[in-house]
Amino acid sequence: MVPVTTAPGSTKPSDQPAPADSGTDAAPDTGGVLSGRYRALTLGIVSCVLLVAFEATAVNTAMPVAARALHGLGLYAFAFSGYFTASLLAMVVSGEWSDKRGPLGPLAAGIGTFGVGLVIAGTAQNMWIFVAGRAVQGLGGGLLIVALYVVVGRAYPERLRASVFAAFSAAWVLPSIVGPVISGSVTQHLGWRWVFLSIPVLVLLPVLLMLPQLRRLQAEDTRARGWGLDRRRILLAVALAAGAGLLEYAGQLLDPLALLPAAAGLALLVPAVLRLLPRGTLRAARGLPTVILLRGLAAGTFFAAESFIPLMLVTQRGLSPTLAGLSLTSGGLSWALGSWLQGRPWADRHRVLLIRLGFAMSATAITGAGLALVHGIPPYVVACAWAVGGAGMGMTISSVGVLMLGLSAPADTGENSASLQVSDALGNVLLTAVAGVLFTSLGTGSSGAFASIFITMTVVALLGAALCGRARTPAPGP
């Protein structure tokens, strides 16, 4: 990784790309993300996020029914963590691919692979095949999300990046509103399989919208960086995904023999993490390492808790899949609001404060969702709590992305974007695996199992809030 230097009196990289270096024309430009220069590209990448968002909200609603129909409730956590485990490999590949050949290839491959995974999951006849389909979706999602971050870093000037991330969050609004309703209705009347099989028809639209400008970026990046991929990083990514998978498997065994795959998983995972993430990430070194770490803590706590909320509402409170999914709708709406707030001009002066506040709001939301286990408290407390957590996540995730791009040299945008997404996915994998262990060891479907999950994720979210101050880069010397 190329070191990022800072200019005297500034904490931003002195070689931060100017708008002309980000894939835009050299002429001055004061337009927004929907101005003529950026309109097609913005609509295309927002369509990609919209596709992933609808799939995520639909899956959360249909998953309890699918797991029961396939007699795989014990593998419920695998259906989520399998997605993130596979995405770990794809994210590193996408970062290398994007840095060396431009983002068009991994973006197109990601969309196509994502669609194939949906078909596999939708036609699965047992839970293991279903989990395999989710893993293929993870490969596609990992290729796609890193490529999108690289597009933002190279095609948009620095002044527009926070607005693009706000648009990403806004793309979750419509799926959050209609996704649970549509998914729940389809699940109840047509069957859960159609929740997966109806989405692949939409995968071509984003590529067609972005293709002209991405081709230009592709040509420029190929001329500048050549074609060879770093095989060492690819092998480390394979070790990372394999290690995470072994740890998840060991967590589900609840047997002394589980120590063998757990030990093998750690032997593969730890060296790969140390080499793939920026030096000092695991000890929260100041600046970029802490920024990368915070992404994993934020995503892992929130989504590990969210994965079990629909199942809790269905099994503990007797809600229908539609109502259980709708309980999470408020989080998608408020997420867009939180992301919009961090995109305001004043927010650049308060990035770290926004991230800390976001972690505190997420911890509050997870605790509030756990109150639904008390039968004297109405289930809609989950919707209220998740509105708070969604706003906090909107501020946190977008602000972390802005900080990462601001601390990245132009040649390292793909690698650092991949590190950010690897941290995100690894946080999801490990914390969802922890939740799965708690869920199975304390009695599958018991109120105590759900309560232990929510308490654990609250504690980790509070730890993230405590580490936020280390996201500030050290003050430059004389």
Side-chain angles (χ1 to χ4, degrees):
M1 183 181 297
V2 178
V4 180
T5 59
T6 54
S10 172
T11 59
K12 290 187 177 181
S14 59
D15 55 357
Q16 179 67 29
D21 296 327
S22 301
T24 62
D25 296 332
D29 174 43
T30 58
V33 294
L34 291 178
S35 62
R37 172 180 283 183
Y38 305 110
R39 184 181 300 117
L41 185 61
T42 300
L43 292 176
I45 60 179
V46 168
S47 296
C48 288
V49 177
L50 186 69
L51 177 69
V52 175
F54 186 81
E55 184 271 345
T57 55
V59 166
N60 278 340
T61 303
M63 191 68 75
V65 177
R68 283 176 167 178
L70 295 173
H71 308 289
L73 200 60
L75 298 176
Y76 186 83
F78 273 121
F80 291 97
S81 58
Y83 178 101
F84 295 110
T85 301
S87 70
L88 289 170
L89 170 61
M91 287 169 181
V92 178
V93 172
S94 185
E96 285 290 308
W97 195 348
S98 297
D99 274 343
K100 299 297 173 61
R101 307 183 188 180
L104 176 58
L107 196 149
I111 293 177
T113 306
F114 190 79
V116 171
L118 286 167
V119 173
I120 294 173
T123 57
Q125 298 302 310
N126 61 66
M127 194 62 178
W128 281 112
I129 299 298
F130 182 85
V131 170
R134 291 285 291 159
V136 174
Q137 286 178 250
L139 290 173
L143 290 170
L144 176 61
I145 191 63
V146 172
L148 288 179
Y149 268 72
V150 174
V151 170
V152 173
R154 294 183 184 170
Y156 293 87
E158 186 176 358
R159 65 182 179 82
L160 291 180
R161 291 172 187 166
S163 297
V164 177
F165 287 129
F168 280 13
S169 296
W172 282 79
V173 173
L174 183 61
S176 297
I177 295 173
V178 304
V181 176
I182 294 175
S183 176
S185 298
V186 170
T187 299
Q188 288 180 308
H189 300 293
L190 298 179
W192 63 267
R193 296 183 185 278
W194 288 103
V195 173
F196 295 88
L197 297 177
S198 60
I199 299 176
V201 297
L202 305 174
V203 299
L204 292 178
L205 176 63
V207 175
L208 294 177
L209 285 171
M210 295 183 289
L211 195 56
Q213 193 160 353
L214 287 178
R215 278 178 171 169
R216 180 161 61 86
L217 286 174
Q218 174 84 0
E220 293 171 356
D221 289 345
T222 299
R223 288 195 301 268
R225 295 173 177 85
W227 291 86
L229 298 181
D230 188 340
R231 293 182 181 179
R232 176 176 169 272
R233 283 183 62 83
I234 304 303
L235 290 175
L236 286 172
V238 173
L240 180 68
L246 286 170
L247 283 176
E248 292 172 58
Y249 177 70
Q252 297 296 313
L253 288 180
L254 299 179
D255 185 280
L257 292 177
L259 294 176
L260 295 177
L266 286 173
L268 290 170
L269 184 70
V270 174
V273 168
L274 291 175
R275 289 167 174 80
L276 287 173
L277 298 184
R279 182 177 298 176
T281 297
L282 297 185
R283 57 182 175 84
R286 286 192 175 274
L288 182 64
T290 292
V291 170
I292 299 297
L293 176 63
L294 289 176
R295 178 60 176 263
L297 294 178
T301 54
F302 190 80
F303 290 117
E306 185 180 71
S307 298
F308 285 86
I309 286 177
L311 185 62
M312 175 195 71
L313 293 174
V314 170
T315 59
Q316 298 294 312
R317 301 305 301 267
L319 269 64
S320 68
T322 301
L323 289 177
L326 281 173
S327 298
L328 304 177
T329 298
S330 60
L333 297 173
S334 60
W335 189 309
L337 174 62
S339 187
W340 177 83
L341 287 173
Q342 67 78 39
R344 301 304 89 201
W346 55 264
D348 281 332
R349 302 189 301 273
H350 307 287
R351 287 288 167 204
V352 174
L353 177 61
L354 289 172
I355 295 172
R356 179 178 284 117
L357 178 60
F359 268 104
M361 294 170 69
S362 179
T364 301
I366 295 169
T367 301
L371 294 177
L373 289 167
V374 180
H375 283 265
I377 296 177
Y380 62 73
V381 68
V382 173
C384 298
W386 229 238
V388 175
M393 287 293 288
M395 291 189 295
T396 298
I397 296 298
S398 297
S399 291
V400 166
V402 172
L403 284 180
M404 181 277 296
L405 290 175
L407 292 170
S408 299
D412 291 334
T413 305
E415 183 175 323
N416 289 343
S417 296
S419 294
L420 189 76
Q421 298 303 326
V422 164
S423 178
D424 185 306
L426 193 60
N428 273 289
V429 168
L430 295 180
L431 290 176
T432 301
V434 168
V437 171
L438 294 172
F439 184 68
T440 53
S441 62
L442 297 178
T444 301
S446 69
S447 59
F450 288 114
S452 66
I453 291 171
F454 297 136
I455 292 171
T456 301
M457 300 310 148
T458 298
V459 171
V460 178
L462 292 174
L463 173 63
L467 292 174
C468 285
R470 302 187 64 79
R472 296 187 179 94
T473 53

